[in-house]
Amino acid sequence: MRAVPFAMTLMIVGCAGGPLLAADAENGRTLAERWCVGCHVVSDQQSKGTDIAPSFASIAERTDFNEEKLAFFLLEPHPKMPSMALSRIEAKNLSAFIAEQKRP
Ligand code: HEC
């Protein structure tokens, strides 16, 4: 069979980027464990954190929490946080990871 299945083609097109790209929360976790653990409690698997920064779970619980807005926030330099020069994709993935921690 030489024909590429249609679904597969869609996947490849999706991975090439653009607005179709879905956020990848698993990648967000990896990023968070690398860049954010120093100050934030990034998941409930982390027993110790600092008091200086809100836990990701508490951020997700905020009533005004919005995954899209958070992704934009992460791209802006923030006075109390080091500038991390995240790519748009990384910012989306981190936001998706944080959004997952909202308890139902
Ligand atoms: C050097 C410590 C430090 C690191 C590293 C850090 N943060 Fe923060 N972050 C803070 C502090 C302190 C605050 C609280 C800021 C405030 O109260 O204005 C904060 C606040 C936030 C907020 C909430 C902003 C709000 O609306 O109140 C988000 C979201 C956030 N950080 C995401 C991240 C992510 C994602 C990473 C990793 C990519 C990260 N932070 C890495 C110190 C840090």
Side-chain angles (χ1 to χ4, degrees):
M1 266 248 284
R2 289 179 49 225
V4 179
F6 181 61
M8 184 87 97
T9 310
L10 272 186
M11 254 171 64
I12 293 165
V13 171
C15 290
L20 276 177
L21 191 69
D24 176 356
E26 258 324 292
N27 175 256
R29 172 190 293 277
T30 309
L31 292 169
E33 284 169 354
R34 187 175 316 154
W35 300 110
C36 324
V37 276
C39 304
H40 293 271
V41 172
V42 303
S43 76
D44 52 13
Q45 271 140 49
Q46 184 184 345
S47 53
K48 272 193 256 154
T50 63
D51 297 338
I52 58 164
S55 73
F56 282 3
S58 74
I59 292 169
E61 296 283 303
R62 290 179 187 167
T63 47
D64 61 349
F65 177 79
N66 176 302
E67 194 176 324
E68 293 287 307
K69 268 201 269 172
L70 181 60
F72 277 113
F73 165 82
L74 292 176
L75 291 176
E76 295 286 320
H78 195 69
K80 290 191 187 146
M81 283 171 32
S83 173
M84 288 165 286
L86 297 166
S87 71
R88 282 179 56 204
I89 306 296
E90 288 170 331
K92 269 183 93 169
N93 294 349
L94 278 162
S95 310
F97 170 62
I98 293 172
E100 266 191 352
Q101 305 194 36
K102 192 180 170 99
R103 278 173 275 266

